[in-house]
Amino acid sequence: MKRLILACLASAVLAGEAMAVEIMHWERRPLEIPLPVDEERIVTLDRNVRVGLPPALANPEVLRVQSAGGVLYLKAFEPFETQRVRVQDVESGDVLLLDLSAREGASSEEIMVVDSREASPARASASRSSSGSSGPQSSEASRPAAQAPGGEAQRATETPVPVLLTRHAAQSLYAPQRTIEPLRGASRVPMRLPESLSTLLPSLPVTATPLGAWRLDGWTVTAVKLENNDRQRAFELDPRWLQGEFYSATFMHPYLAPRGSVEDTTTVFLVTRRGGLDRALIPLEEADKAEEGAS
């Protein structure tokens, strides 16, 4: 039975060609985010949030704010001076502050917000091992990796390995090299896939091209580029349309615009367990039989 779980992660914008992602670190200081006028800017927060706007921005003719799946879509329709916006994590209640402004010519580059309190696996492991506290947590952290249940990444952080691996893959493909956070134990692996995956999304007129795969602790994430071939129609992307046995599927964008537009291409990150994407896809022969049975 196909199992799909939507994972929130740090993603990147594709605008015809891959754009760099600006990474900002939340350290309990307001993050300054300038917005271009009449152009959308995406801010990935990796958590579901609610947004509180000051009176000056609570006008849809000044600023449009949309929040979906841990991503903010911000579009300013006129210039404005710096205004403080309160963003609250729906689950934990944590608050993050954004200082938004809008001006002509500001960057539209996507922003990925990284919480500095969530240390990477390597840093978390070192921190726990060097702490002087006693008890089960300290003992567990100082145990050799070979004895630790669940593997190094799962032991050293509460963030699930599929989320860590998906984030690492997105950064490896689209973030500047100097900003990629190391993920101990993760490695790039051969994909053993054809140039085009015709059975992945057979219900949509898209071309699916594998880009790369990474593995950690028995998990594999494969990045696949999706290109819309229809010049007339746009499509919302639903993981239930994917054909195969996947643990999770994470789209970088919620939809594909008609072919020829700057938003006609996106990437999906597919996580599989105990094997790569080549084992998770439905063989072409089975897909053909399914289509014949439906017709």
Side-chain angles (χ1 to χ4, degrees), residues 100-180:
L100 299 183
S101 62
R103 64 173 186 270
E104 299 285 351
S107 173
S108 61
E109 185 176 68
E110 180 176 349
I111 294 173
M112 183 190 330
V113 177
V114 177
D115 193 336
S116 296
R117 295 173 299 174
E118 298 176 359
S120 67
R123 290 197 299 267
S125 177
S127 175
R128 292 181 184 178
S129 297
S130 62
S131 65
S133 60
S134 59
Q137 182 178 14
S138 178
S139 174
E140 180 69 18
S142 60
R143 184 185 301 177
Q147 302 176 17
E152 172 69 19
Q154 190 70 57
R155 174 182 62 83
T157 177
E158 295 180 356
T159 305
V161 170
V163 176
L164 290 173
L165 198 54
T166 300
R167 181 186 301 161
H168 179 73
Q171 290 182 347
S172 298
L173 285 176
Y174 302 116
Q177 187 69 29
R178 67 181 184 280
T179 65
I180 298 176

Side-chain angles (χ1 to χ4, degrees), residues 25-255:
H25 293 269
W26 167 244
E27 298 175 333
R28 298 190 176 277
R29 291 189 178 92
L31 300 177
E32 296 183 4
I33 300 180
L35 304 176
V37 176
D38 289 328
E39 190 173 355
E40 191 170 67
R41 190 165 196 184
I42 297 175
V43 180
T44 301
L45 299 168
D46 200 15
R47 65 193 68 195
N48 291 318
V49 298
R50 61 172 63 95
V51 181
L53 296 175
L57 298 183
N59 182 348
E61 296 183 359
V62 176
L63 176 68
R64 185 186 70 193
V65 178
Q66 295 176 326
S67 176
V71 179
L72 294 181
Y73 301 86
L74 307 173
K75 186 172 184 179
F77 296 102
E78 62 183 49
F80 57 81
E81 296 299 322
T82 301
Q83 300 286 336
R84 182 152 297 176
V85 173
R86 187 176 184 270
V87 178
Q88 184 175 34
D89 188 317
V90 173
E91 297 181 0
S92 69
D94 290 346
V95 174
L96 182 147
L97 300 176
L98 306 179
D99 281 350
L100 299 183
S101 62
R103 64 173 186 270
E104 299 285 351
S107 173
S108 61
E109 185 176 68
E110 180 176 349
I111 294 173
M112 183 190 330
V113 177
V114 177
D115 193 336
S116 296
R117 295 173 299 174
E118 298 176 359
S120 67
R123 290 197 299 267
S125 177
S127 175
R128 292 181 184 178
S129 297
S130 62
S131 65
S133 60
S134 59
Q137 182 178 14
S138 178
S139 174
E140 180 69 18
S142 60
R143 184 185 301 177
Q147 302 176 17
E152 172 69 19
Q154 190 70 57
R155 174 182 62 83
T157 177
E158 295 180 356
T159 305
V161 170
V163 176
L164 290 173
L165 198 54
T166 300
R167 181 186 301 161
H168 179 73
Q171 290 182 347
S172 298
L173 285 176
Y174 302 116
Q177 187 69 29
R178 67 181 184 280
T179 65
I180 298 176
E181 297 185 17
L183 182 59
R184 180 180 296 180
S187 60
R188 192 156 183 168
V189 294
M191 293 185 292
R192 301 184 178 88
L193 293 168
E195 293 184 0
S196 180
L197 308 178
S198 58
T199 63
L200 181 61
L201 267 172
S203 61
L204 295 181
V206 302
T207 298
T209 306
L211 298 177
W214 293 259
R215 186 168 296 158
L216 175 64
D217 289 348
W219 299 92
T220 302
V221 61
T222 304
V224 179
K225 180 172 68 172
L226 303 178
E227 298 175 276
N228 190 356
N229 296 322
D230 195 316
R231 295 186 177 275
Q232 304 298 323
R233 294 181 295 168
F235 303 99
E236 291 189 2
L237 295 172
D238 189 325
R240 292 173 295 182
W241 295 343
L242 296 166
Q243 300 299 306
E245 297 291 333
F246 315 118
Y247 177 81
S248 68
T250 304
F251 294 98
M252 288 174 55
H253 300 90
Y255 67 94

